[in-house]
Amino acid sequence: MRLAYMSVYRYTHRNGRMASGQIREKEKKRYNSIVFVVWTSVPHRSANMSGADNQRLPLKEKFELMPETLGGQFRKDFPPYLDGLVKSFPHRYVTTPEFAKNAEDVYNLSPRPDDVYISTFPKCGTTWVQELVWMVVNDCDFEKGKKEQLSIRSPFLEMNYMLPTKLAEKFEKEAICRKANSPLVDKIMELLCYWNLMDWLRPFIRKAISLVLGDCLRDLEQIDQMAGPRIIKSHLPLYLLNPQVLNTSKVVYVARNPKDVIVSYYHYHRLLEFHHYTGNLEAFADYFMTDRVYSAPFFPHLLDAWNKRHHPNLHFVFYEDLKRDLRGEIVKISQFLGKKLSDDQLTKLTEHLRFDNFAKNETVNCEIGKEIGLMNNSGHFIRKGKTGDWKNHFSPELNERIDEWMRKNLEGTDLRFITELEQQD
């Protein structure tokens, strides 16, 4: 028998913190104050997951609602964030309430010796290096790469646990309707949503979505059951991954200068319906620097990996180095992964990954997301990829503010960034 409980976090106006308590689902009460609900359960797990009852690892991070994300200008700038964002403690990681519900399960996914994790803050070249690593590990199998979406070949660890429930239902409904192309199906889906039957139908809906997108929305059990070697992408900081990842698997961590990340992340937030950011760049930069965007804060994410860069199982690479000498960085990553490419493979892979070619590659550019309403039609997931593009966006005043923010956060560290390149691939 499976028991379902709710952890209810009630924001109290008196001290700005949350009071917590556990109640059974059938005893759920209505609170007049702001309520943040986190579901916990006793799930079915495969034998290989460290989440088995006698081995389950407790996650020390605790998530609290960010009340400032529930109203005011923030809600106007991020209309889909109906439930706001949450922040973890003690590391202050910003994420969605939906991920907070599943964070401990993600933490308990067991790593394997042949796993390779691609770890980055968003918009740091994740997809680029994800394709690079998959190709290296799979001996440059370009034919297979042409047949399957990268998201199928290499799962996005937390993707299935990011979207708020209402937004997930919207995308699921649109995926079914687009596949069926029938007014009757549209009406049926509306009724299912109206009568709150989507949860009951979700396993069938996921199968239907797989007909459109393939297995790109794998849950943890599906990832656990994948044949190796697994190439796993994640935007989570290392402390939210299983603590044995670095001692068991290989990790390729990609960092990018924060000025270009801000510009790229701004366009990304405007592109994805999940974020649907409606404000301007200057306001977004302020949200970014004050840790009010998904995956913030930026510097602790990078510095955690930077301080572990000498670990034999971690390879730290800068996006700017990839732009400056793509072929040379492919060689370094191949050596780290214990693979040796022939000159012919190296030449073909370098050309395959050239940014102009990469942006046109339908298995990596995520244009399929437009077919189910995940992205609007006004932009592209793979945009420019240029180092120094921030110069085309920042005013002198904004640039000064960002320089000061960088200076304060890098003080006392030896991490430095290249923000411009004279020549790049």
Side-chain angles (χ1 to χ4, degrees), residues 103-166:
E104 189 167 274
D105 288 341
V106 174
Y107 187 71
N108 275 273
L109 179 71
S110 292
R112 303 176 192 164
D114 62 346
D115 285 343
V116 182
Y117 282 75
I118 318 311
S119 177
T120 76
F121 188 91
K123 309 315 294 178
C124 286
T126 323
T127 306
W128 199 22
V129 175
Q130 188 183 6
E131 175 76 351
L132 187 165
V133 168
W134 188 91
M135 283 292 174
V136 169
V137 170
N138 288 276
D139 300 317
C140 294
D141 190 345
F142 295 105
E143 288 304 312
K144 184 175 182 180
K146 291 178 183 177
K147 296 175 183 177
E148 286 187 336
Q149 291 287 321
L150 177 60
S151 55
I152 299 173
R153 293 178 274 131
S154 172
F156 185 176
L157 178 61
E158 64 269 24
M159 177 64 188
N160 210 35
Y161 308 100
M162 285 169 48
L163 294 181
T165 302
K166 288 191 178 296

Side-chain angles (χ1 to χ4, degrees), residues 375-390:
M375 301 188 305
N376 64 60
N377 293 316
S378 63
H380 302 283
F381 182 77
I382 306 294
R383 207 174 58 88
K384 292 183 179 179
K386 294 292 185 183
T387 295
D389 186 46
W390 59 269

Side-chain angles (χ1 to χ4, degrees), residues 5-10 18-24 31 36-38 40:
Y5 294 87
M6 291 193 306
S7 292
V8 178
Y9 294 87
R10 184 177 51 185
M18 291 189 180
S20 66
Q22 265 198 338
I23 57 176
R24 288 186 184 273
Y31 288 89
F36 167 43
V37 181
V38 174
T40 58

